[in-house]
Amino acid sequence: MRFERRFSFADRPAGDREHRLIETAQGVLAVEAPRGWPAAGIEAWIDWSKDLAEDWPNLAPDGLSPDKPFDGLLNSGPARYARRLAAWGFATGLFDHAADAEVFGDELLASIALGIAAPSSRPAAGARVHPIAQDRLPPARETGVLQLEDVEFEPALARLAAQSRAAAGARSGLPAWESRLAAVRDAVARCEGDARACADPQHNLALARAAQSARDAGVPDALIAQAVRTASLDPGFADPLGPVVPPEPLVVLGSGTVVEAGSAESFAAAAVGAETGAVILAFTPRDAEALTRAKSAPRAALDLDAFTGDDGDIDLEGLEAAARLWATALEIECACGFSEDLDRARAQHGWRAMGLTLAGLGDQLARQGLAHDSEAGRVLAASLFALMDAAALNASAEIAGRIGAYPEYLGDKDARLALPRSARQTARALAGIDNPAAARAAELYDGAIALAKKSGVRNVEITAVFDDRELGLRLGCRIDAAGGWSGAVTPIETADGPTVLALSDAAATALSRAGAETGDAEMHVLGRSSLADAPAIDHAALRSKGFTDIEIEAVETALASAPDLRGAFSPAVLGEGFARDVIGLSAEEAADVTFDVLARLEFAQSDVDAAQTWAFGAGDLVAWSDLPESLRPVFASPTRNGLLGMTAALEAFADVPRTAPITLDWDDDPTEAARLQSAAAAAGVRAVRLERAAPPQGPLFDLPSQASDPAPSRTPPPEPRTVERVVERVVERARARQKLPDRRKGYIQKAAVGGHKVYLHTGEYDDGALGEIFLDMHKEGAAFRSLMNNFAIAVSIGLQYGVPLEEFVDAFVFTRFEPAGRVTGNDSIRSATSILDYIFRELAVSYLDRQDLANAEPEGAEDGFGINSGDGESEETVPASRFISKGFSRGAAPDNLIVASFGSRRSRGEPTGSAAGPDVCPSCGDLALKRRGAGYVCDSCGAAPGMAG
């Protein structure tokens, strides 16, 4: 098999190239790329290059060796792809000489460099039947196409709907889950101190709040625990939940007559298909099988724009050569490419299904001034697609003559040859109306059928009508041949990098041919970014409303970046003084950047819409007053009937039916979906796939207030009676400082942290709440002592203004700085990570009963209250003078006042009952019931419950 050089040169790289700096997620890359290609397309090619297979046949010729330097285009990805296919083609016997294989590789690379074609992404590894060794495989599993009448049809639809709803819920819920889990990880990572305490919500209150927030958002506790574990091991680990994988499309076989009639099963298929976009309804068994094989088939697209000259003429010979070239490339990909699993690899080897399509057809029709819905547009599109299909079929038949037909050909021969025979008949009908593309296609079909009669064809399916957005991004055009043109606006990169919008080449060409002014058309589509001479809202109208040149200039400047006209008249643009003094806005309205100033200025909505179009553009050309009438249907969106008609015209020459979905409005009901599906069957398309358009942003329902009256009761209302009304009014007052009493109680705690003495003085309110602290440091520098004193004053002021002590504790415990280490002089705290950690541990233990922050048990009688907590019978009373300041009470407390032993405090988690200490007396209610011998006696009232007498 030989290829003549048509796109490549033997002595130099194809295409005009330049060095670019492309910003990617991994950083800025220096790339050699074709001149003028957009950065988004170059980045897509770089991503595609990362997933290329790297296996090469043994003993590859020197010119096809992977050790030979590659062409540097797009990080050498296209060169590696082309040379690998050429090497495998030579190894499988497609080329007689290594030089022929090298020319094939050069042509393949040049077609990519010139923007003629692009392949789809394929797995870099996986399952494969070896191209040369012909692996022995276990027998294939028996699989059949699901039919509308099967008993498994309804359960399959139910599973598909459930998977789609789960994926939709995950897409909307995952960001919320991710943020909640990130907060959990952050709460653990920011905690300082013992790792186990930081990972315990009982000890880490920030973690407790984050975990509760995550649980309220529906995050399972298992994921919360996993986030805690990963944050404890590595705080920088993101632990992503992973991408949301949509369900795989379900291919269903149904009779076209039954679907057109609207059976119950077809109605169910339409309802679920519109909701999920993943139901493909085929009308013949062969099309259903072809759609199933197409899921994993290698695919590529040819850009029709690359074959169109400046005069609008199409290079039919170039299109034919490119179709032959890429049909051969996809056949080699069928041989050496990998599949996701063994079943698909077996099917790829046995049937050699592939998909070659013609991209940019909609834009080509627009250039020619042909409406998508017109008969002339369908004829031209079908003829060009037929030429590509016939040329690719010839290549497949030629390959079959060299290395044989696909293994399943003998059992599929009659059905396979029926497709080109039907296509040849249709092409001859189109060629009878002075159509060179259709005439050439008919000749190629004749040759292909003659070759196929001798040796068959190499591929069960060769061409297809599909859509692939990632492939379209790399090729720079719309892939779906039946979907219409790409629109009147196209993004263009400027020389210094930013992307701007411009009139599309297809629209400009059509307007020039019709004699219309493209400059005026561009201003209508993209706007003028100015209100000068605008209808209704121009500079004169604004001056009549009180605007000066300063405000008009501010609006004109804002038009370049504002999203719409109302955004350019935001109070933030006009200034608060002008908004309040001239327009009359209140302070709240002037502070609201979304306030509608144009409505306050009493401009009618029609005037706003006209000025919006003038300044920001209409986005399309349909409503342009100077548009030639012949072009109005060309630039209009295709109707559903026109879309179905174009699909049927292209499917007459495609081996695989169109898989791109037909879009319904977002609020269409299942009945409308079933009606569209029935119309598709009646229009003669071979398969139909429905999809609902995305709903608009924002709330879709105007929900009633939750304070609505309850439903009336069925029971008769009770007799009216007069009752007093108690009116409760909540009055919010400004928070004021609550000062401490002039004579206040508290305590002084002396301790040493890491050998540095610290004196903590506390001041309390009459109810015992903490109101102030003082800190004294012994033999420290003046700067450090002053800093600590002022810190204590700041904490005291916060406490007196109502800041809870818990907030200070959460903020400052586990802080780490010197001095730190061993603590002496405190019976509950034996170590601290800093002075602040010690201080707020002590306050938490003393005032908040936070025993979790104490790292020692009180020794003997020195617990938190200084009361003996022994569990023996030798408990003694303690004089109250040990805890009550005689000076503070000024002698009001009698000298014989004692603290009873039953007032001792038990540690948390200690069981109640006589074994652990006093119990509650049923007579007096005091916690003074103690076991005495065989019974209980209350130390307060002397009662002996449960004893005789």
Side-chain angles (χ1 to χ4, degrees):
M1 195 169 186
R2 301 188 62 184
F3 288 87
E4 300 294 333
R5 290 190 181 273
R6 183 179 185 89
F7 310 115
S8 64
F9 304 97
D11 56 346
R12 65 179 187 275
D16 186 14
R17 306 180 184 182
E18 62 182 349
H19 290 279
R20 298 276 297 275
L21 294 178
I22 303 299
E23 185 175 356
T24 66
Q26 292 75 30
V28 178
L29 298 179
V31 181
E32 181 182 346
R35 189 176 301 277
W37 278 24
I42 297 173
E43 185 177 354
W45 275 106
I46 295 174
D47 293 338
W48 169 83
S49 301
K50 296 175 183 177
D51 297 325
L52 292 177
E54 298 293 343
D55 67 307
W56 295 69
N58 295 330
L59 303 177
D62 292 339
L64 301 176
S65 170
D67 298 328
K68 181 181 177 181
F70 291 102
D71 185 291
L73 177 70
L74 300 171
N75 279 4
S76 301
R80 289 187 285 122
Y81 172 82
R83 191 183 299 176
R84 174 179 175 271
L85 291 190
W88 276 112
F90 179 76
T92 54
L94 278 183
F95 308 106
D96 294 327
H97 306 285
D100 295 335
E102 292 180 21
V103 171
F104 167 78
D106 291 344
E107 286 287 282
L108 206 60
L109 173 60
S111 66
I112 295 177
L114 297 174
I116 293 174
S120 63
S121 298
R122 297 285 294 163
R128 180 180 67 176
V129 179
H130 197 277
I132 301 173
Q134 300 294 305
D135 306 334
R136 290 183 175 271
L137 300 177
R141 294 183 300 174
E142 291 293 333
T143 58
V145 177
L146 184 65
Q147 301 186 30
L148 283 177
E149 297 80 9
D150 291 346
V151 294
E152 297 90 355
F153 171 65
E154 290 188 4
L157 277 188
R159 288 193 299 270
L160 180 65
Q163 293 172 5
S164 178
R165 291 166 186 168
R171 279 192 295 271
S172 60
L174 274 184
W177 281 25
E178 289 282 9
S179 63
R180 299 301 198 284
L181 292 176
V184 170
R185 291 189 292 267
D186 185 64
V188 178
R190 293 181 60 184
C191 175
E192 296 184 8
D194 183 64
R196 289 176 298 178
C198 289
D200 187 355
Q202 295 293 335
H203 295 164
N204 187 347
L205 293 185
L207 172 60
R209 289 192 292 267
Q212 184 62 51
S213 176
R215 181 183 288 175
D216 293 342
V219 182
D221 279 14
L223 288 180
I224 300 176
Q226 178 181 344
V228 172
R229 288 193 300 270
T230 54
S232 300
L233 296 174
D234 182 5
F237 183 63
D239 193 21
L241 295 178
V244 178
V245 180
E248 189 176 71
L250 177 67
V251 178
V252 182
L253 172 61
S255 169
T257 305
V258 173
V259 173
E260 184 179 353
S263 65
E265 293 80 7
S266 63
F267 185 90
V272 177
E275 176 185 349
T276 64
V279 176
I280 305 177
L281 190 57
F283 301 136
T284 64
R286 183 170 188 83
D287 283 339
E289 295 169 357
L291 288 168
T292 302
R293 289 189 289 262
K295 294 178 181 179
S296 57
R299 302 188 300 190
L302 306 179
D303 184 7
L304 187 58
D305 182 48
F307 306 100
T308 306
D310 295 336
D311 55 358
D313 292 339
I314 301 174
D315 180 9
L316 299 181
E317 292 183 2
L319 177 59
E320 179 182 339
R324 180 174 180 266
L325 175 70
W326 277 91
T328 306
L330 293 181
E331 157 53 29
I332 301 174
E333 184 67 48
C334 285
C336 68
F338 293 95
S339 298
E340 292 82 357
D341 52 54
L342 187 58
D343 288 333
R344 296 189 181 188
R346 186 188 292 106
Q348 179 175 299
H349 169 75
W351 295 95
R352 325 291 286 197
M354 61 189 193
L356 182 64
T357 195
L358 190 59
L361 262 176
D363 286 349
Q364 181 62 34
L365 296 182
R367 286 190 189 92
Q368 302 290 343
L370 299 176
H372 187 274
D373 295 356
S374 66
E375 179 66 23
R378 287 191 290 270
V379 168
L380 177 59
S383 301
L384 295 172
F385 201 95
L387 178 60
M388 179 197 68
D389 178 65
L393 181 64
N394 260 280
S396 181
E398 184 180 355
I399 295 172
R402 295 183 62 88
I403 57 177
Y406 58 92
E408 303 289 344
Y409 176 73
L410 292 180
D412 190 49
K413 177 179 179 180
D414 294 337
R416 180 63 184 95
L417 293 181
L419 294 176
R421 286 169 179 158
S422 175
R424 177 178 61 179
Q425 184 177 354
T426 306
R428 286 175 176 172
L430 296 178
I433 51 176
D434 190 19
N435 190 335
R440 178 55 181 164
E443 294 177 9
L444 291 174
Y445 279 126
D446 287 336
I449 293 173
L451 288 174
K453 288 180 179 180
K454 297 179 182 179
S455 54
V457 292
R458 184 62 176 170
N459 312 94
V460 64
E461 286 100 27
I462 303 173
T463 56
V465 184
F466 62 87
D467 194 12
D468 188 329
R469 296 184 180 179
E470 190 255 344
L471 178 57
L473 183 61
R474 284 189 276 117
L475 198 55
C477 63
R478 183 166 186 171
I479 301 298
D480 183 15
W485 74 316
S486 56
V489 179
T490 184
I492 295 179
E493 285 191 5
T494 59
D496 53 351
T499 301
V500 297
L501 298 179
L503 190 67
S504 69
D505 179 69
T509 302
L511 291 169
S512 298
R513 288 185 173 182
E517 180 58 48
T518 57
D520 293 343
E522 186 169 14
M523 285 191 292
H524 173 80
V525 173
L526 302 175
R528 298 159 179 81
S529 298
S530 174
L531 291 177
D533 302 324
I537 308 179
D538 58 359
H539 293 176
L542 294 177
R543 287 191 177 92
S544 67
K545 299 289 185 179
F547 281 66
T548 67
D549 291 341
I550 297 176
E551 288 75 36
I552 292 176
E553 183 179 357
V555 170
E556 291 288 326
T557 303
L559 288 173
S561 58
D564 54 20
L565 193 62
R566 288 184 170 84
F569 282 86
S570 169
V573 173
L574 300 176
E576 182 180 1
F578 179 81
R580 297 188 64 179
D581 298 341
V582 178
I583 303 178
L585 303 186
S586 64
E588 293 78 8
E589 292 170 340
D592 183 6
V593 295
T594 63
F595 185 80
D596 192 350
V597 173
L598 293 175
R600 175 62 61 87
L601 294 175
E602 299 181 350
F603 285 112
Q605 184 61 42
S606 58
D607 296 340
V608 175
D609 293 340
Q612 170 82 21
T613 301
W614 177 272
F616 290 88
D620 59 51
L621 290 164
V622 178
W624 184 34
S625 58
D626 296 334
L627 180 67
E629 289 300 321
S630 61
L631 294 181
R632 203 168 297 279
V634 174
F635 297 145
S637 299
T639 63
R640 287 178 178 173
N641 289 336
L643 180 63
L644 295 176
M646 179 63 77
T647 301
L650 296 178
E651 285 181 343
F653 303 100
D655 297 326
V656 183
R658 181 176 185 263
T659 56
I662 302 175
T663 305
L664 294 91
D665 293 337
W666 72 271
D667 55 349
D668 281 345
D669 56 20
T671 303
E672 181 61 28
R675 186 180 296 113
L676 179 56
Q677 184 175 264
S678 177
V685 301
R686 292 160 51 187
V688 61
R689 179 180 182 182
L690 302 179
E691 182 181 62
R692 196 182 303 279
Q697 296 294 326
L700 303 178
F701 300 100
D702 186 12
L703 299 178
S705 172
Q706 296 298 315
S708 58
D709 295 331
S713 174
R714 294 179 179 272
T715 58
E719 291 285 337
R721 58 195 182 96
T722 304
V723 295
E724 267 189 31
R725 290 182 60 197
V726 178
V727 179
E728 182 177 339
R729 178 177 297 174
V730 178
V731 180
E732 291 194 11
R733 297 177 180 174
R735 184 175 295 277
R737 182 177 180 181
Q738 182 183 2
K739 293 187 177 181
L740 287 161
D742 293 336
R743 188 177 181 84
R744 66 202 69 162
K745 58 185 182 294
Y747 72 91
I748 302 174
Q749 173 70 57
K750 172 187 175 184
V753 180
H756 294 253
K757 292 183 180 180
V758 181
Y759 293 85
L760 170 65
H761 303 246
T762 67
E764 302 173 1
Y765 291 101
D766 291 338
D767 60 358
L770 179 65
E772 68 179 357
I773 63 172
F774 294 97
L775 300 174
D776 289 331
M777 301 292 294
H778 183 64
K779 293 184 179 180
E780 300 291 344
F784 187 75
R785 286 202 310 270
S786 300
L787 185 63
M788 295 300 292
N789 288 336
N790 284 277
F791 173 78
I793 293 172
V795 172
S796 302
I797 293 175
L799 292 170
Q800 294 168 28
Y801 271 99
V803 178
L805 177 59
E806 291 90 338
E807 296 295 330
F808 287 114
V809 171
D810 290 344
F812 295 111
V813 293
F814 301 119
T815 52
R816 186 181 299 275
F817 58 86
E818 295 295 332
R822 184 168 176 265
V823 176
T824 58
N826 192 303
D827 60 345
S828 295
I829 302 171
R830 296 300 172 85
S831 65
T833 60
S834 65
I835 294 289
L836 295 187
D837 177 51
Y838 159 71
I839 291 169
F840 286 98
R841 281 177 183 267
E842 164 62 27
L843 294 177
V845 171
S846 300
Y847 287 96
L848 302 178
D849 196 21
R850 288 286 301 275
Q851 298 302 318
D852 57 300
L853 295 178
N855 45 31
E857 292 292 336
E859 297 179 357
E862 297 301 325
D863 65 0
F865 298 98
I867 303 174
N868 189 302
S869 58
D871 55 357
E873 295 291 337
S874 61
E875 295 178 352
E876 299 179 358
T877 59
V878 181
S881 60
R882 185 173 180 181
F883 309 109
I884 300 177
S885 170
K886 185 173 182 179
F888 178 81
S889 63
R890 288 179 174 172
D895 294 337
N896 61 350
L897 187 65
I898 63 172
V899 177
S901 61
F902 58 80
S904 64
R905 180 183 62 190
R906 292 189 303 271
S907 62
R908 291 188 175 186
E910 187 176 352
T912 60
S914 62
D919 209 339
V920 178
C921 175
S923 298
C924 65
D926 281 355
L927 191 70
L929 195 64
K930 301 289 291 183
R931 179 178 289 278
R932 296 288 186 269
Y936 294 93
V937 177
C938 179
D939 290 342
S940 295
C941 65
M947 292 186 179

